Amino acid sequence: MPDNFQGFKTIHYSKDKQIARITLNRPDKLNAFSAQMHSEFFAVLNDVAGDGDIRCVLLTGAGRGFCAGQDLGERKGGEKMDLGEKLENGYNKNLRLLKSIQAPIVCAVNGVAAGAGANIALNCDIVVAKKSAKFIQSFSNIGLIPDCNGTWILPKLIGLAKAKAIAMLGTPVMSEQAVEWGMIYQAIADEEFEAEVNNLVNNLVQRPTRALSFIKNIFEESYSNPYGAHLDRERDIQRVCGLSDDFAEGVTAFNEKRPAEFKGR
Ligand code: T3D
């Protein structure tokens, strides 16, 4: 844990060999987001976003759950409140920061991911989950709509019919089903989860980080770019990639029949 994060109670954070590991750490509450967790998460994301050395980020949860969304213990039953303000200064602030991180972000869903917890996971670049894990759009169980961009991302990932149904019904989606539907990348046997997640991040951290950050951004842009404008964007970005150290090294390594040693530049 970097020195200035030693006192953090709700998030565990470490940086090693250019990998940032962030663990949501309130296991007795299935890592539900409290106000303290929001501010500690923000500080950690801010550190990652400002650290040009980081080439891969891993987000996961401590204990048997990934994240059960908003800590409902902090919301008094029987009271109405301005949740727009809570979103703006909590989840949305954190997600904007998460999205600004240029390194690839792996979310390792180690257990149940409910409400905001499910959608924070889906905002990451590569989402893998234990076979025993499930995703629940539990918002409508308490009279809310999916937030954390769930209403933006879910129809794109799994189509409108399934997105509407799981949001309206709060139906749990097991991770293998989530893979079949295109919601996440991979479901991994529980006993192999930790090793497979480590293999994944150790692979990603050695890949050409700059190109990977272009990949994540341009895929998202594709949702709003017109066809021709998108071809122009690919051309412009490929021009930058073609002038990079990693491209020069990649082609040299291919021709010399050896593994490339990318530096992320
Ligand atoms: O308010 C705003 O800021 C607006 C934004 C909202 C975003 C949202 O995320 S809204 C959705 C909030 N989340 C939920 O509605 C999920 C609530 N939790 C559940 O439905 C279930 O706990 C799960 C399906 C996730 C897991 O069920 P299970 O049976 O595996 O575990 P459990 O026994 O229910 O929970 C274990 C403990 O975690 C338990 O505490 P206890 O009794 O042992 O002391 C439970 O109360 C606690 N817990 C689980 N989820 C939350 C929670 N505590 C506070 N807040 C939670 N969201």
Side-chain angles (χ1 to χ4, degrees):
M1 189 104 129
D3 282 350
N4 39 340
F5 297 95
Q6 288 291 353
F8 278 27
K9 297 272 183 287
T10 66
I11 304 274
H12 189 267
Y13 176 44
S14 68
K15 294 195 278 189
D16 187 36
K17 300 191 176 83
Q18 299 188 292
I19 301 170
R21 293 169 195 267
I22 305 170
T23 305
L24 307 177
N25 190 28
R26 299 183 72 217
D28 52 329
K29 297 291 172 199
L30 301 178
N31 305 317
F33 261 85
S34 60
Q36 184 179 7
M37 190 188 262
H38 271 298
S39 68
E40 293 186 355
F41 194 43
F42 184 82
V44 163
L45 292 177
N46 204 32
D47 186 71
V48 176
D51 187 339
D53 258 3
I54 295 300
R55 295 176 63 188
C56 182
V57 183
L58 173 64
L59 175 64
T60 191
R64 75 174 175 91
F66 170 67
C67 175
Q70 174 58 38
D71 184 332
L72 297 176
E74 287 192 346
R75 303 281 176 263
K76 293 191 188 73
E79 253 183 30
K80 301 172 188 175
M81 62 176 68
D82 178 1
L83 293 184
E85 185 273 325
K86 301 284 183 208
L87 284 184
E88 191 51 32
N89 295 312
Y91 296 101
N92 290 7
K93 196 170 141 194
N94 277 324
L95 283 174
R96 287 192 178 102
L97 197 45
L98 184 89
K99 275 288 161 193
S100 77
I101 292 172
Q102 291 305 304
I105 306 173
V106 172
C107 186
V109 179
N110 53 299
V112 64
N119 293 340
I120 288 169
L122 299 181
N123 274 278
C124 296
D125 298 311
I126 299 181
V127 186
V128 297
K130 277 188 181 170
K131 278 194 180 164
S132 62
K134 56 190 165 187
F135 295 78
I136 315 176
Q137 295 293 320
S138 44
F139 306 87
S140 62
N141 295 343
I142 53 169
L144 300 181
I145 64 163
D147 54 31
C148 295
N149 254 0
T151 59
W152 186 86
I153 204 161
L154 270 173
K156 294 177 175 66
L157 293 174
I158 64 176
L160 199 50
K162 290 195 276 285
K164 272 191 196 168
I166 63 170
M168 288 183 176
L169 298 168
T171 321
V173 180
M174 294 305 297
S175 61
E176 283 176 293
Q177 179 78 85
V179 173
E180 204 180 299
W181 285 0
M183 193 195 290
I184 65 168
Y185 174 55
Q186 208 176 25
I188 300 171
D190 289 21
E191 58 279 12
E192 289 160 20
F193 189 68
E194 207 178 313
E196 287 299 316
V197 168
N198 280 330
N199 287 343
L200 177 60
V201 296
N202 288 331
N203 178 7
L204 272 173
V205 78
Q206 295 179 60
R207 296 191 58 76
T209 315
R210 196 140 168 252
L212 305 196
S213 72
F214 282 133
I215 289 171
K216 69 191 221 167
N217 293 328
I218 194 158
F219 272 111
E220 297 220 345
E221 271 184 45
S222 74
Y223 288 123
S224 52
N225 282 345
Y227 183 84
H230 200 74
L231 283 176
D232 292 347
R233 286 290 292 146
E234 285 182 351
R235 175 203 61 208
D236 294 345
I237 293 172
Q238 205 68 304
R239 184 170 281 147
V240 177
C241 290
L243 294 171
S244 71
D245 292 348
D246 282 345
F247 172 68
E249 163 63 6
V251 176
T252 305
F254 177 82
N255 288 328
E256 291 177 357
K257 300 191 187 306
R258 62 169 174 80
E261 283 181 41
F262 295 118
K263 300 281 188 265
R265 293 190 291 265

